[in-house]
Amino acid sequence: MACYAVLLSRHAQPMAESRTSQRRYSPAALETWFTRLQNDWEQHFTLDELRDGRALYRSGAVRSLEVSVGDAIVSTQVERQLFYAIVDWSQERPAVRVSSDDRHYGHALAVAGFYEIEELVADEIPADSEWAVAKAAAGGELPRPVSEARLENTGQKARPYKVRINATPQGLWARAVWVNADGSEEPWKLETGTVGLVESEREKLIRLMSLTHKVGFVRMARQNAWQLREPADIQTFLRQYLEKWKSLFPVELEAGLMKLAEPVRVVRVSGRMEKGAEGLGLKWRLRDGDREFTPGETELLLRRARGTVIIPGQGLFRFEEREAEALSEWQGVLRPGERLPEYLALSLFADESLKLELGPQLKGWRDRLLKAVPDEEKAWPGFLRSYQRRGTAWLARVLSTGCHPLLADEMGLGKTLQTAALIARRPAGEIRPDLVVCPASVVPVWQGEMERFFPGVKVEVLRTGHDFAHVPGPVLWLASYTQLRRHKSLLDKVEFRHAILDEAQNIKNPEAKVTLAAAAIKAAHRLALTGTPIENSGLDLWTIFRFLMPGLLGSRRRFEDLAEKDPLEFPRRIRRQVQSFVLRRTKNEVAKELPSKVEVPVPCLMTETQQREYRRLANEALKQHGDQLGLLRDRPLSFFTLLTRLRQASCDPGLLPWVKADWKDSGKLRVLMDLLGPMMQAGQKVVIFSQFTGLLDRAREALKERLPDTAVYRLDGRTTDRAKPVREFQTKPGAAIFLASLKASGTGVTLHAAENVILLDPWWNPAAEAQAVDRVHRIGQSKTVFVYRLTASGTVEERVERMKAEKRLLFDEVVGGLKDLSELTQHFDSLRDLIGLDSDEE
């Protein structure tokens, strides 16, 4: 019943100092129940019923108690409703009837009634067991109790007893012993109850049981003792009840016991961490003022760091809350026998609530980690810019210390190239493979960078049916996050040299399957690359570092608790904790090392819809025109139409008149949204060019869905007031996007407020392309301009871009001034060679 929960929540409080129940009884009823209580009545109730009944009794929940020879009625009241339990005694055991439908509630109330009866019996029977003649309700006298009569007839006398009280870390213990005539002592055997005791001895046992219940002691029959566990209850007993006990019977206290009645003292903490042959070793020094705790006491305090700890003979102790949290966190990390990485020393060291001293070896290790990049950066490839060589050297140094870094350079500064240089340097005899995990759209970027700058590195793409078991040895595996998740079962069978998460924000959800797959990777060195390590919350960073260095940022619960408790201080703490392992450079910081214009090729994988339409167009062209490009020389219009349709399919299948598609069916628009997100977060301006006004329409549709709050301006052939969008874009504070068609923005437009240019589709005429870029990269531009060129992988776009790169002068000469592109027929072996489609799989 709901009332039962209410009752326990209201009355599960510290012990009541006075009883408030109304009691009705007769001497005959007390004598009867005195005899019944000599039985072990508690064995007829469950542990939960005894626990909750004890809570009701101690809190004074019992409203009335009526004791008769036949039964006992105990009642309580909750929210103006009266509830009661009737306890009958039959066949040497209690039987309970209740007014509630909840059996547990009724039996707990009956337990509380039994404790009330024990207290009543203990209060009413004189301490010397001499039953005074009591007056009946009518004024008459009653004979002595039967128990006293039996005692006189046998000539037996009750033995004296005393109670010894001592403390252990588990609580306060009270043990009673009988004192025999010869002075020897015999412990009270609580497990057997009152069996073998004379009546007056039984009376004393019941009286002591009543007193222990009243204070909150729990009977521990096997230990022949009563135990008081909670430190607050121990202090209440020592301060308020002990003197009363001493007035009723002899009490012997353990030396130093009364120190537990003193206020709880705060433990002072310091520690020293050493690096040994078996890993990290940590020795804590705990002090109480000038006194240092013994090793045993220290172990006890650390084991119970979050609560109040009993130190026998010394008192009650606790840690400050922040120290307790930090110690508990550390105890969860430092497991006996486990070799721990050195970086955890920095995790604990960064917690200001603990004073930790590092040993000489760890100090030297930390100094090597924190020192500036040495001249070793000169050893890296010369085609890297100077800041990129510093970045690669920094990555190598952090990895050499046993730590695992996060490269968080702003987009466009070459995180891929810096990391590729690290992978390409392979020590002699090293046969372990490397692994790069990235979005499917970034797989071609890695392929292109490795092919261009490190052609000697063997590269494989993880696909269904083509995995680590098929190509063993020193190879670089490229895997999309989707493929990593699908191949998770294989990860425990291979150990990588480097495991790199590119666009590592993809594992920001700690519970996601792809995050769990990333955590399952086994590698000697782990790296993360992302220009946006925090997209939504600090938990993004925690998840990345769980992959890199588990334990550095503590548990997820503590991380989130700290963020909630101290939102202003928390970012500073986290920054200090990770600063040794994160390298972040912005374009402004390295501007002097950058050319005025940085070209960034961006390969884009086509979606299934794009691939289907592209293949259909390609197959129809081959069927209609054959594979001989020379035959198309006399049909330039057909050739130009074919190339236009293939380019539309490469950009967005929705540009094809017969296809109805969502913008997400375009691989380029997906990549575009991924590029724009970090730029908008950084407050940058971007100009997006395309030859297809329809593609600009589709881009606007995607922007409304993905970046609805971003200011977007547009200029194309339908714009009547050309100056207005340009002026507003130029003067708009903060982030903004300008969509522009090639023809409309070719002349008379200045957009130098932007620092990023995105070419959605490559143009055959380099001069026209350069003219568009110069709308941004021109006189008045004070920033480095980054030009991102999006190219569909495995299509005619990629073929022509490759030819432009390999035969720049020839292309400028032959193609630069052409309108129909018919001269392309001279520079490719076949139509299939020009328009062939690669079958890249995500």
Side-chain angles (χ1 to χ4, degrees):
M1 293 177 62
C3 62
Y4 176 49
V6 173
L7 183 67
L8 286 179
S9 65
R10 285 189 175 185
H11 296 299
Q13 304 295 331
M15 63 190 76
E17 302 223 356
S18 62
R19 316 306 311 173
T20 59
S21 60
Q22 299 176 0
R23 298 170 173 178
R24 292 192 293 272
Y25 57 91
S26 67
L30 288 185
E31 166 69 8
T32 302
W33 280 94
F34 169 71
T35 303
R36 290 169 179 169
L37 290 173
Q38 296 174 26
N39 294 273
D40 185 9
W41 59 268
E42 287 180 320
Q43 66 177 315
H44 301 295
F45 295 90
T46 68
L47 292 177
D48 288 341
E49 290 168 351
L50 290 172
R51 182 195 64 235
D52 293 341
R54 190 175 297 118
L56 295 176
Y57 163 72
R58 294 179 61 203
S59 62
V62 175
R63 182 185 180 192
S64 67
L65 176 68
E66 183 175 346
V67 183
S68 66
V69 173
D71 56 33
I73 303 174
V74 56
S75 68
T76 189
Q77 185 173 343
V78 179
E79 297 180 346
R80 298 184 179 180
Q81 295 186 51
L82 188 65
F83 300 94
Y84 59 87
I86 301 175
V87 182
D88 297 315
W89 196 275
S90 60
Q91 298 180 352
E92 300 302 317
R93 63 176 295 156
V96 180
R97 293 174 289 148
V98 299
S99 64
S100 167
D101 294 333
D102 192 314
R103 181 180 182 276
H104 179 86
Y105 159 68
H107 280 235
L109 187 57
V111 169
F114 265 106
Y115 292 143
E116 287 277 346
I117 297 173
E118 284 187 348
E119 180 181 345
L120 178 61
V121 169
D123 289 344
E124 294 300 323
I125 296 179
D128 59 3
S129 289
E130 303 232 348
W131 186 272
V133 177
K135 292 184 179 181
E141 293 185 354
L142 294 175
R144 287 190 173 193
V146 176
S147 58
E148 287 296 325
R150 285 202 300 268
L151 183 61
E152 290 179 354
N153 292 335
T154 59
Q156 291 178 314
K157 293 183 179 180
R159 293 171 291 179
Y161 70 99
K162 57 185 175 183
V163 177
R164 292 195 176 100
I165 302 177
N166 71 296
T168 69
Q170 289 72 39
L172 206 63
W173 297 83
R175 290 180 171 84
V177 295
W178 299 112
V179 180
N180 297 318
D182 60 0
S184 61
E185 297 178 353
E186 180 182 341
W188 282 14
K189 296 181 180 180
L190 301 184
E191 191 171 18
T192 59
T194 60
V195 177
L197 302 180
V198 299
E199 295 299 328
S200 56
E201 290 177 344
R202 293 176 181 175
E203 169 202 317
K204 292 173 181 177
L205 176 60
I206 292 174
R207 185 188 309 281
L208 186 54
M209 289 175 61
S210 173
L211 290 172
T212 58
H213 289 317
K214 185 174 184 179
V215 174
F217 280 90
V218 176
R219 189 178 75 158
M220 309 295 287
R222 293 185 179 180
Q223 288 85 359
N224 284 321
W226 292 273
Q227 184 188 26
L228 192 59
R229 295 188 179 93
E230 295 299 323
D233 290 346
I234 292 174
Q235 291 196 322
T236 299
F237 167 69
L238 295 176
R239 294 170 181 175
Q240 300 179 16
Y241 290 91
L242 181 59
E243 290 304 316
K244 182 178 179 180
W245 279 35
K246 289 180 177 179
S247 68
L248 296 175
F249 41 79
V251 177
E252 293 182 359
L253 301 181
E254 178 185 46
L257 185 72
M258 292 308 296
K259 287 189 176 182
L260 299 180
E262 298 174 359
V264 180
R265 300 202 290 275
V266 176
V267 180
R268 301 303 172 195
V269 186
S270 63
R272 181 178 177 86
M273 180 172 284
E274 298 278 4
K275 181 181 178 183
E278 298 180 356
L280 295 183
L282 178 60
K283 181 179 180 181
W284 293 110
R285 296 185 63 189
L286 308 182
R287 305 184 69 86
D288 172 27
D290 294 333
R291 175 183 174 270
E292 185 170 341
F293 288 97
T294 66
E297 292 170 345
T298 298
E299 180 182 357
L300 177 62
L301 287 163
L302 293 175
R303 192 167 61 245
R304 304 181 181 183
R306 287 187 178 272
T308 300
V309 180
I310 302 170
I311 303 293
Q314 300 299 330
L316 300 175
F317 299 89
R318 67 173 178 84
F319 294 99
E320 294 285 4
E321 182 179 356
R322 287 189 63 176
E323 291 182 347
E325 291 178 357
L327 286 169
S328 296
E329 188 80 22
W330 185 250
Q331 294 301 311
V333 173
L334 189 60
R335 298 178 178 87
E338 182 180 358
R339 184 179 179 86
L340 295 177
E342 287 86 348
Y343 66 75
L344 286 179
L346 293 184
S347 171
L348 194 58
F349 183 75
D351 196 324
E352 294 178 345
S353 61
L354 296 173
K355 296 178 181 179
L356 182 67
E357 179 185 356
L358 299 182
Q361 283 187 300
L362 281 177
K363 281 184 178 179
W365 168 84
R366 184 186 65 184
D367 293 342
R368 290 195 306 275
L369 175 66
L370 301 181
K371 70 179 180 180
V373 177
D375 292 338
E376 65 188 48
E377 64 183 78
K378 298 178 181 178
W380 297 96
F383 55 75
L384 296 177
R385 296 189 176 98
S386 57
Y387 76 87
Q388 292 174 329
R389 288 196 297 274
R390 290 196 303 272
T392 303
W394 177 83
L395 291 173
R397 191 187 75 251
V398 173
L399 291 174
S400 71
T401 65
C403 298
H404 310 278
L406 166 62
L407 182 58
D409 282 347
E410 194 174 15
M411 184 178 60
L413 296 186
K415 294 187 291 295
T416 301
L417 188 57
Q418 294 174 69
T419 312
L422 184 73
I423 295 173
R425 178 173 290 186
R426 179 178 289 273
E430 175 59 71
I431 62 172
R432 288 175 297 184
D434 297 296
L435 173 67
V436 171
V437 186
C438 57
S441 60
V442 182
V443 170
V445 176
W446 274 92
Q447 288 177 300
E449 294 288 89
M450 299 306 297
E451 181 180 348
R452 178 182 177 186
F453 294 103
F454 304 103
V457 176
K458 185 177 182 180
V459 178
E460 299 288 341
V461 178
L462 181 66
R463 300 189 184 96
T464 302
H466 185 71
D467 54 47
F468 315 122
H470 293 85
V471 187
V475 60
L476 171 60
W477 283 97
L478 302 177
S480 70
Y481 283 99
T482 301
Q483 289 293 343
L484 179 75
R485 175 175 54 80
R486 292 174 181 172
H487 290 82
K488 181 177 182 295
S489 60
L490 301 179
L491 295 177
D492 61 344
K493 301 176 183 178
V494 58
E495 181 177 353
F496 298 96
R497 182 174 61 124
H498 295 98
I500 299 157
L501 300 187
D502 195 0
E503 302 294 346
Q505 70 274 11
N506 281 272
I507 65 166
K508 64 186 177 184
N509 182 351
E511 289 89 15
K513 291 182 179 179
V514 68
T515 305
L516 300 178
I521 299 173
K522 295 189 297 184
H525 306 297
R526 297 184 291 277
L527 297 89
L529 313 179
T530 175
T532 54
I534 300 180
E535 283 193 332
N536 300 318
S537 69
L539 190 60
D540 299 350
L541 190 67
W542 180 88
T543 308
I544 292 174
F545 270 94
R546 183 179 65 171
F547 164 77
L548 291 173
M549 291 182 282
L552 180 72
L553 296 183
S555 68
R556 176 181 175 182
R557 178 178 178 180
R558 186 186 178 203
F559 187 89
E560 293 180 320
D561 286 348
L562 290 174
E564 182 177 352
K565 290 178 181 177
D566 199 349
L568 297 179
E569 170 66 13
F570 180 69
R572 188 183 70 84
R573 290 189 61 187
I574 296 304
R575 183 166 55 251
R576 184 181 65 249
Q577 195 127 344
V578 304
Q579 64 185 358
S580 302
F581 313 107
V582 178
L583 181 62
R584 167 75 170 176
R585 278 90 53 92
T586 65
K587 295 170 184 174
N588 290 336
E589 290 178 74
V590 298
K592 294 181 179 180
E593 304 177 48
L594 291 172
S596 60
K597 182 172 64 175
V598 178
E599 303 271 353
V600 183
V602 182
C604 302
L605 289 179
M606 292 198 296
T607 64
E608 292 182 2
T609 303
Q610 285 179 281
Q611 291 186 37
R612 182 179 65 249
E613 293 303 322
Y614 193 95
R615 285 195 184 98
R616 191 174 66 79
L617 288 167
N619 290 331
E620 287 180 359
L622 290 169
K623 183 178 180 180
Q624 182 177 356
H625 303 293
D627 197 24
Q628 300 300 315
L629 273 176
L631 298 177
L632 291 173
R633 188 182 291 271
D634 298 330
R635 288 175 282 180
L637 182 61
S638 297
F639 185 43
F640 184 79
T641 301
L642 170 63
L643 291 179
T644 300
R645 291 302 188 200
L646 289 172
R647 291 176 61 210
Q648 288 175 328
S650 302
C651 291
D652 183 347
L655 299 179
L656 299 171
W658 59 85
V659 177
K660 292 183 179 181
D662 185 84
W663 71 264
K664 297 184 184 68
D665 291 315
S666 166
K668 280 194 178 182
L669 291 181
R670 288 185 181 183
V671 172
L672 176 65
M673 294 302 107
D674 291 339
L675 287 173
L676 289 175
M679 295 176 182
M680 296 303 99
Q681 288 183 6
Q684 299 174 359
K685 284 185 168 64
V686 185
V687 178
I688 301 173
F689 288 107
S690 176
Q691 293 182 82
F692 301 110
T693 57
L695 186 55
L696 296 178
D697 294 336
R698 301 279 284 177
R700 186 71 182 94
E701 176 186 341
L703 289 171
K704 287 181 180 180
E705 180 176 332
R706 291 285 292 272
L707 297 168
D709 299 327
T710 301
V712 180
Y713 305 91
R714 178 163 177 164
L715 178 63
D716 58 30
R718 295 170 292 183
T719 306
T720 56
D721 186 353
R722 291 165 52 86
K724 181 180 178 182
V726 173
R727 181 177 63 253
E728 292 179 351
F729 176 78
Q730 288 285 92
T731 58
K732 168 74 170 62
I737 295 173
F738 196 97
L739 302 174
S741 67
L742 172 63
K743 291 183 179 180
S745 57
T747 59
V749 176
T750 298
L751 299 168
H752 59 64
E755 57 207 278
N756 300 286
V757 175
I758 298 178
L759 306 175
L760 279 181
D761 44 286
W763 300 322
W764 313 118
N765 190 330
E769 186 177 273
Q771 187 178 37
V773 172
D774 286 344
R775 300 305 94 204
V776 177
H777 182 250
R778 62 188 305 159
I779 296 174
Q781 175 60 268
S782 59
K783 306 172 183 177
T784 297
V785 175
F786 285 78
V787 182
Y788 301 89
R789 184 177 288 102
L790 275 58
T791 306
S793 301
T795 68
V796 64
E797 286 187 344
E798 183 183 65
R799 301 298 195 272
V800 173
E801 284 300 300
R802 188 175 299 170
M803 186 188 74
K804 286 165 64 177
E806 294 174 353
K807 304 177 180 180
R808 171 64 60 183
L809 294 177
L810 177 64
F811 189 89
D812 290 346
E813 178 183 345
V814 176
V815 182
L818 296 181
K819 295 182 179 179
D820 59 12
L821 304 180
S822 60
E823 289 296 332
L824 285 176
T825 59
Q826 299 179 6
H827 302 287
F828 289 92
D829 295 335
S830 64
L831 179 61
R832 188 182 300 276
D833 182 33
L834 174 62
I835 66 176
L837 178 67
D838 291 340
S839 57
D840 289 327
E841 180 184 357
E842 183 185 336

